[in-house]
Structures are given as C-alpha cells and as structure tokens.
Amino acid sequence: MSEAFIRCEKLTKVYRKGDQEIVPIRDLDLEIARGAFVSLMGPSGSGKTTLLNLLAGIDSPTRGALHIGSNDLARLSRGALAAWRSREVGIVFQSYNLVPVLTAFENVELPLLLQPLSRAERARRAMEALDTVGLGDRASHFPSQLSGGQEQRVAIARAIVARPPLLLADEPTGDLDRESADLVLALLASLHRDRGTTIVMVTHDPEAAARADTLLHLDKGRLAARESRGAEAAR
Amino acid sequence: MMRLLPFDHAIRNLGRSPRRLALLVGGSALVSLLVLGAVAFSRGLETSLGASGLATNALVLAAGSEESVERSEIAPGVTDALATGVDGIAVLAGQPLVSPEIHAALPVSLSGEAVGSEGEAPEAPPVLVRGFEPAAFAVHPQVRLASGRWPRPGADEVAAGPEALARVGGAAAGAREGATLLIAGQPFTVVGTLHAPGTAMHGEFWMRLDRLAQLTQRTTRSCVVVALGDAEFDDVDALVATRLDLESVAMTESDYYARLAEFFAPIRALVLATAILVSCGAALGGLNAMYAAFASRVREVGTLQALGFGRTAIAVSLAIESLVACSAGALLASLIAVLFLDGAAVRFSMGSFALSVDATAIAAGLLSGIVLGVVGAIAPIIRCLSLPIPIALRA
Ligand SMILES: Nc1ncnc2c1ncn2[C@@H]1O[C@H](COP(=O)(O)OP(=O)(O)O)[C@@H](O)[C@H]1O
Ligand SMILES: [Mg+2]
C-alpha cells in the first residue's frame, strides 16, 4: 500500500526564453502511492500543468529523476514514451480536446487503435467505457452535438478505455457548471474506488479537492504543503 | 509495428472547411491542368508532325533549304529526273508516283471581309497553300476529300482543310464550301473539303500547281515527293547526290517532319516552363490552404500525440489528406482535359495542330497532382509536428 508508484527526485524543469530562464518545477521531491487520488493545487503559474505534463511523459525533465512504476521516464525515447503513454496513462484536459470530426464512439475508440485488438473487441471496450460515463446512448453523436459536461465525460471515457493504471487530469471541471462538474468528479472517484486507478488531478475547486485522499499544494515550482486524509475520509 | 490512423479519419478531416478544400482541390486541379495542357501541346505537335510525314516517301528539295519546304526552290525538271532516274518507284495507272509541289505561305481572307469600311484590306493571316498535281493524292494517302471535288487545273479553285477554314473565320463567318476566298489578293472558290485529321495538311489550302505557280509568279517548285515503292531511299539520295545540276537534296518525309519537331523544341520548352511557372502560383494557393488547415489543428495533433500516436502515424494521416485532395484535383483536371482540351486546335503562324490528351499527358497531369500533394504537405506537416506537445496542447 505504501509502495511509491510515482517517484520524483529533485525534479526540475527549466524553460529558456532568450536569455531568460523560467523554472516552473524546481527540485521537487515527491512520492505518490499506487491507488492514490491526488489533488494538485496552487496559484496560477505555480507549475501544476508542467508537473502533470512531466508525469504524462509529454514533457521531459531538465534535471532530476522521475520514475513511474518500473519506468525511468528520463531514459525513455520519444517513441518509447508514446508507447508507454498509450498503455499506462490516461489524460483528461480542461478543454476536452475531442476530435471534432469523430463521433463520441470513435473518439473513445481512438486509443484502442494503438492496441493489438480486433475491431469487435475495440467496439466492445469503447461501448463499455461510454456506458461507464453514462453516455452509451450518445455514441453516434459528434462533439458539437454534446454539452460541455458530456464532452468531458467522453474525454474521460477516452482516457480510461485502455484501462491505464494512471489517470492525469488538468482542471477537468474548470470549464463546467456545478452539476456537470459533480458528475465528472463522481466519475473520477468511482474509477479510483472501483478500479484502483491512481489519479492526479489539478484543480482550483475545493469541492473537487475534497474528493481526493491527498492534497498537494505547489508554489513557485516547489511543494508548499501536503495533506493526507485517510482512505476512509476520502470515501 | 507502427499503428496508423484510419484512412477515413483523414477523409473526414478534409470536410472540415469546404472553402479550404475547394482551394486545395482547385489549386491542384489548376496545376495538373497546366502541366497536362503543356504535355498535350507537346504531344499534339509531335503527333501532328509524325503523322504528316511517311517514311516510305522521299522528299527532294533545294540544297540549303533542308529545314524549310516553303523556302526551297527547285527546277521543274527535277520531277522528270526523279521519275526516270530511280528504278522501282511506286506506279499508279502507269504513272510513277512523283508529286511536284509548291508550298507557299499566303495571306487568306474571306472575300467580303477584305473590303473594310475604309476600303483597305485588313491584315490577313498567312496560311499554307499547297500547289499539287494528281500524284499528290497517291503520295499523301492521309489526305482525302471529305466533300465537294478537287480543284481543276488553271481554275480559281481551292480545296480547304477544315482547320484552314477555321483560321479565316470558320463556317459561322461564311468560310465553307462554295465561299469565295481572297488568296494573295485574288478570289478563289472553295470547291472541296480536305480531310487529313492529325496532320499538318488538315490546316492547308490546296490548289492546282499551275495556278499557284501563276499566283506566286514562280516557275520553280518547292519540293518533289516520291513514293518509294520498291525503290530504296538510298537510290533517290544517290541520284540527287550525283546529279549536281539538280541542286537538290533528299530526305525521308518522316525525317523532315522530325527535324521540324526539333525546330519546335524551344517552343515546347517555353510552353512547359510557362505552365510550370503559372502552376507554381496555383500550387502556392493550394499550399496556403493546406498550411492553414494543418495550423488550425495543432492542438488536435498534440492531443493525438498525448494519446500515444507516433509522429509518423500522424504525418502519414496528414499526408493522405493532402494527397487525396490533390489527387481529386488532378482527376478533375484530367476529366476537364479529356472533355474540353483533347483535339482543341492550336494555331501558330503557319499551321495548326490539335492538342493531344493522351495517356502520357494524363499521366503527367496526375503525377504533378500527386507530387504536389506529397511535397506540398511536407512543410506544413513538419511545422505541425515540430512543436513540443505541451505547446501544441496550449495552442
Ligand atoms: N513551454 C513553455 N515555455 C516557457 N514557459 C513556460 C512553458 N510552459 C509553461 N511555462 C511557464 O511556466 C510557468 C508554470 O506554468 P504552468 O505549469 O502552466 O502553471 P499552472 O498550470 O500552475 O498555472 C508559467 O510561468 C508559464 O508561463
Ligand atoms: Mg495549468
């Protein structure tokens, strides 16, 4: 239970703009246990998105170590990272990022195209994921025919369809009304509870943060505070 | 194994902006059409010149005028010298097939039109007028009479190729059988219509040799065409080489037209260069549309990469998109070319020929569309995929 799933050691990210250096993540030491539901908070510009991108392997650390499961992300090539992501990580964006020319079903099926699955098996799993987010009846709708809340639920279905052990979400309720936000949060909580998915969620919303069992506060690229609640408290 | 994005995703992406799609397809259609047209021009010229000359005919013309029948002048006696001096020449009804001809570029206009309101003749375009004797029908089997009759000796009569009539205004303007034409200022009646499609003769006026000699005030001939029959070209060549008094040279008719084709090489190159230059403009328009189409999808491309799709897979999908649009344009161009360009007459100073939209021309058009689709996509794709994923996701 206390085995660290994600391990950051002196993790540092430096961006260079001309002769100016921006260090959104600075010497960050962090461990996250398998099956944790982490809420990542902090003021705007504190490095939350940068950290999430590093965890997702879509950005590379400048210094320090980053281990997720048995993988040392700093040592993986771009292609190996992409393959790793397709198996191990689901990502949910604030602005959904669905492909507009594809139906809800096809958007959800997208990650499965990277797996060695038959068409029928892909269809079965995509429908199952859509049912999980309560949108089985919207499979043939295009993103433009869905509400924001529905789009985000489709995006969550897309993120979990390959059953990744890690789910990363960057302000997933940031663009949603309260009701839709609650639906999305309930969904994430049930994924955490029922599947044991490790979730790291960036949020500004106290109600969202309340769902998590660990609260991390970032400030200027450093860990400012860490609150843990018992697993019981999260439920 | 690399996993690609489904083909139909690329196709559906094309439908996202009908305006951009139209620009892309239109641009590539224009490029293909221009290249196709230039090749059709070249091929048409080649075919026309190739069909105009026979390898079984020897052409005898004045030494020093090898490249131009119109400038050549040989003595009338050359005809008999050839008829009697070469054994084995083809014979029809007891006559050796030796055709003395005069080729002259003369101004031709419709007679009514010639008298303008100010009373002065407008500039009439020069058209090739051929003076012939009956042997001409036998040495030029490509030519036949479509209607009417052949001009009679000494008469103010001509037979006209359809393309020649078109040059002086066409049937709509009254240029048809029965009409009176002013040739070098003198009236002639069109008594027959020639038929020799795909050859230079389709665009000529034919009158009897004696009448043309009189009209042009010359006693010389331009050339003599010999149907070789059982004779060898070398026999003719040997005769004119030894009979210095004939002041002539011989070549096969097909060689003559092949040289003419060489003479047109710079024009063909010019046409091709112009087509390529203009099509570069069209290509830029299409590329711009493609650039915009891809640029608007930077975030989507970032998302696909975040999901785990490789850059190659995404690049292939984008390239397919571009390729499909450009191929559609190229097909459209081919269709337009087959419907409207094939056989269209090209007229230049002296003659005319028909554009030939053949397999080579269509292949060139399609190929240029495909090349545009692939090469044109490279820069936008690189631009789209070179962004780091976090920045692409922010776009
Ligand atoms: N690709 C980049 N290039 C330069 N600076 C960046 C880049 N990404 C983020 N930053 C900067 O890093 C800091 C942290 O950004 P971010 O991680 O997005 O913060 P948060 O998500 O907490 O609001 C900001 O100052 C931001 O401008
Ligand atoms: Mg952020």
Side-chain angles (χ1 to χ4, degrees):
Chain A
M1 203 57 187
S2 62
E3 171 213 357
F5 179 47
I6 300 173
R7 219 156 15 94
C8 307
E9 284 160 31
K10 297 222 170 298
L11 185 65
T12 302
K13 180 68 194 179
V14 180
Y15 290 117
R16 279 196 183 76
K17 264 188 189 155
D19 50 3
Q20 197 189 348
E21 271 196 357
I22 301 165
V23 190
I25 295 293
R26 189 186 294 270
D27 292 330
L28 185 73
D29 291 320
L30 177 65
E31 289 197 351
I32 294 173
R34 190 178 290 277
F37 186 168
V38 176
S39 181
L40 193 55
M41 307 185 78
S44 179
S46 57
K48 304 183 297 293
T49 296
T50 303
L51 177 57
L52 217 60
N53 286 344
L54 289 168
L55 296 181
I58 59 181
D59 206 349
S60 53
T62 309
R63 285 191 298 275
L66 172 55
H67 293 266
I68 298 183
S70 57
N71 293 289
D72 179 353
L73 292 206
R75 286 175 181 273
L76 295 184
S77 68
R78 181 199 292 270
L81 276 174
W84 171 77
R85 264 200 309 279
S86 72
R87 291 187 314 267
E88 308 280 324
V89 190
I91 309 176
V92 179
F93 305 92
Q94 179 175 350
S95 45
Y96 333 130
N97 286 357
L98 298 179
V99 179
V101 294
L102 303 184
T103 62
F105 173 83
E106 289 162 336
N107 266 285
V108 174
E109 191 192 17
L110 216 40
L112 297 180
L113 297 173
L114 293 162
Q115 315 286 346
L117 298 173
S118 71
R119 188 189 194 82
E121 181 60 15
R122 285 204 308 269
R124 196 187 65 72
R125 293 198 194 182
M127 275 316 296
E128 188 185 87
L130 273 175
D131 283 334
T132 304
V133 300
L135 289 174
D137 56 340
R138 299 297 161 97
S140 59
H141 284 50
F142 286 93
S144 59
Q145 300 167 317
L146 298 171
S147 71
Q150 290 171 331
E151 278 196 79
Q152 192 59 301
R153 279 149 67 197
V154 171
I156 291 173
R158 181 177 67 182
I160 63 168
V161 71
R163 294 192 165 256
L166 176 60
L167 187 64
L168 302 172
D170 196 348
E171 304 193 37
T173 59
D175 285 357
L176 301 181
D177 58 50
R178 188 69 257 162
E179 205 180 328
S180 303
D182 286 341
L183 251 167
V184 162
L185 291 169
L187 207 53
L188 294 178
S190 73
L191 285 169
H192 169 243
R193 186 179 60 233
D194 302 341
R195 298 187 179 180
T197 307
T198 308
I199 299 177
V200 180
M201 173 179 68
V202 172
T203 187
H204 287 298
D205 175 6
E207 283 195 41
R211 302 269 184 174
D213 53 32
T214 306
L215 267 67
L216 298 178
H217 289 268
L218 277 189
D219 192 21
K220 296 190 181 104
R222 293 169 193 272
L223 200 56
R226 176 175 189 141
E227 294 172 48
S228 285
R229 293 183 242 178
E232 292 76 17
R235 282 172 198 180
Chain B
M1 194 199 99
M2 183 179 65
R3 303 209 169 252
L4 296 171
L5 284 154
F7 183 73
D8 76 299
H9 288 197
I11 305 302
R12 277 194 257 173
N13 273 320
L14 280 172
R16 286 166 90 147
S17 165
R19 196 187 63 86
R20 281 193 201 124
L21 180 63
L23 272 172
L24 196 51
V25 172
S28 103
L30 205 56
V31 169
S32 293
L33 195 60
L34 284 162
V35 171
L36 204 160
V39 175
F41 175 92
S42 204
R43 300 284 295 174
L45 189 57
E46 226 165 64
T47 312
S48 159
L49 294 175
S52 302
L54 299 179
T56 51
N57 282 352
L59 186 66
V60 175
L61 60 177
S65 301
E66 288 90 341
E67 69 292 339
S68 169
V69 173
E70 287 111 71
R71 250 175 286 155
S72 159
E73 299 204 38
I74 52 176
V78 175
T79 310
D80 280 343
L82 286 165
T84 56
V86 182
D87 288 334
I89 289 180
V91 170
L92 189 68
Q95 294 294 312
L97 293 183
V98 175
S99 167
E101 297 177 5
I102 295 176
H103 294 223
L106 300 176
V108 180
S109 59
L110 273 169
S111 71
E113 174 190 303
V115 188
S117 50
E118 283 109 53
E120 69 187 42
E123 190 77 353
V127 182
L128 198 108
V129 181
R130 191 186 294 237
F132 70 97
E133 288 191 347
F137 312 139
V139 301
H140 301 296
Q142 314 98 303
V143 186
R144 57 183 186 78
L145 200 61
S147 61
R149 58 176 177 77
W150 289 108
R152 282 192 275 259
D156 296 341
E157 296 172 345
V158 288
E163 205 32 64
L165 285 177
R167 282 170 74 88
V168 295
R176 60 176 92 90
E177 243 170 74
T180 303
L181 301 177
L182 281 184
I183 301 180
Q186 295 189 23
F188 284 80
T189 306
V190 180
V191 296
T193 306
L194 294 177
H195 188 76
T199 75
M201 290 162 281
H202 213 51
E204 297 177 358
F205 290 106
W206 282 29
M207 68 172 71
R208 291 304 279 251
L209 183 76
D210 59 342
R211 186 65 189 86
L212 186 55
Q214 187 193 344
L215 183 67
T216 53
Q217 299 178 327
R218 61 191 274 176
T219 53
T220 56
R221 313 287 180 245
S222 301
C223 62
V224 179
V225 183
V226 181
L228 289 171
D230 295 330
E232 298 285 324
F233 167 75
D234 289 344
D235 304 336
V236 179
D237 198 32
L239 179 83
V240 297
T242 48
R243 288 280 306 273
L244 295 177
D245 61 303
L246 298 181
E247 294 176 8
S248 309
V249 290
M251 60 181 83
T252 63
E253 202 180 28
S254 50
D255 272 356
Y256 172 76
Y257 282 105
R259 282 201 199 191
L260 217 54
E262 256 170 59
F263 169 76
F264 284 115
I267 294 174
R268 288 155 69 178
L270 199 71
V271 166
L272 194 64
T274 308
I276 287 173
L277 227 62
V278 176
S279 61
C280 280
L284 280 180
L287 291 191
N288 201 36
M290 193 137 64
Y291 215 83
F294 290 179
S296 71
R297 297 228 298 276
V298 163
R299 190 158 64 152
E300 190 179 309
V301 164
T303 304
L304 289 173
Q305 286 182 271
L307 292 180
F309 284 95
R311 294 198 293 180
T312 314
I314 297 169
V316 167
S317 187
L318 292 175
I320 287 175
E321 224 178 294
S322 150
L323 191 61
V324 166
C326 289
S327 303
L331 283 174
L332 184 69
S334 304
L335 190 70
I336 291 172
V338 168
L339 291 180
F340 302 109
L341 225 52
D342 194 28
V346 176
R347 292 167 201 154
F348 54 100
S349 62
M350 285 294 308
S352 72
F353 63 91
L355 291 182
S356 166
V357 179
D358 59 4
T360 308
I362 287 180
L366 289 179
L367 194 69
S368 57
I370 288 167
V371 168
L372 176 69
V374 174
V375 174
I378 291 174
I381 286 174
I382 288 177
R383 162 102 178 83
C384 210
L385 283 170
S386 62
L387 286 178
I389 305 174
I391 293 178
L393 287 171
R394 266 173 219 254

